[in-house]
Amino acid sequence: MANHKSALKRIRRDEAVRLRNRYQHRTTRNAVKRLRSEESKEAAETLLPSVVSMIDRLVKRNIIHANKGSNLKSKLTKHVSAL
């Protein structure tokens, strides 16, 4: 068990940050799935910028690796242009 007041605070903060990261990651994954399942090119083109923005936000906050974000954006852009 933690002995210092700062260690207890750190434990509380880490849990809050972990839950926030999980929520943001899950929300982005659902948006990516929704974009991949989209069959209309117009709808996919309107959805793409928001999904790319979500991915960039995860990369900026180190929730996912920068290369994984780039790969995701590239594959999604290719998918939308191929529709």
Side-chain angles (χ1 to χ4, degrees), residues 12-82:
R12 287 195 310 269
R13 185 182 167 284
D14 286 346
E15 180 65 14
V17 168
R18 183 184 73 83
L19 291 175
R20 188 180 319 121
N21 287 346
R22 275 186 62 195
Y23 171 77
Q24 291 170 348
H25 198 182
R26 189 178 333 116
T27 306
T28 304
R29 278 198 312 258
N30 289 337
V32 167
K33 286 177 192 172
R34 191 166 46 249
L35 179 61
R36 282 194 179 130
S37 67
E38 192 62 56
E39 295 173 3
S40 164
K41 186 174 178 82
E42 295 80 23
E45 284 176 340
T46 58
L47 196 58
L48 182 65
S50 64
V51 174
V52 168
S53 172
M54 293 169 98
I55 292 170
D56 286 338
R57 217 172 302 133
L58 292 181
V59 168
K60 185 175 81 174
R61 294 178 180 152
N62 289 321
I63 298 172
I64 62 173
H65 195 273
N67 291 353
K68 180 183 173 85
S70 296
N71 288 336
L72 272 172
K73 291 189 294 186
S74 172
K75 287 177 183 176
L76 290 173
T77 306
K78 282 172 66 174
H79 171 73
V80 169
S81 62

